[in-house]
């Protein structure tokens, strides 16, 4: 398996290596910072959410107090402004 990505966070790359160390990863740019909801900062906005119509959901990928072993694949509603 090969992952080719225009942009990624270091945390995302580290997690992918941890879970699937055999995957070959090629990234154009690595952003060091992610938001509390796991979005890359500065990133490219919600391009994937707009494309796939998931603007109202955020994947829970980050470790949290409720899940000390790591995030889950559950979805939660995006906070409204």
């Amino acid at each position: 398996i090969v992952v080719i990505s225009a942009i990624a966070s270091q945390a995302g790359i580290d997690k992918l290596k941890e879970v699937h160390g055999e995957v070959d990863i090629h990234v154009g740019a690595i952003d060091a910072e992610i938001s509390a909801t796991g979005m890359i900062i500065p990133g490219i906005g919600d391009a994937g959410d707009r494309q796939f119509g998931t603007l109202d959901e955020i994947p829970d990928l980050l470790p949290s107090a409720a899940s000390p072993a790591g995030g889950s694949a559950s979805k939660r509603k995006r906070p409204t402004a």
Side-chain angles (χ1 to χ4, degrees):
I1 297 174
V2 176
V3 172
I4 301 173
S5 178
I7 189 169
S9 70
Q10 188 61 55
I13 293 169
D14 293 344
K15 184 67 174 180
L16 182 58
K17 286 180 179 179
E18 175 188 325
V19 176
H20 297 286
E22 73 284 359
V23 173
D24 192 14
I25 304 169
H26 300 272
V27 178
I30 300 172
D31 285 340
E33 188 177 354
I34 57 175
S35 71
T37 59
M39 301 297 258
I40 297 171
I41 299 173
I44 56 173
D46 292 332
D49 288 330
R50 289 190 301 268
Q51 180 179 3
F52 297 108
T54 57
L55 282 171
D56 62 337
E57 297 180 347
I58 304 171
D60 186 13
L61 303 175
L62 299 177
S64 68
S67 177
S72 69
S74 67
K75 300 233 180 209
R76 61 184 187 276
K77 291 292 183 183
R78 181 178 301 276
T80 55

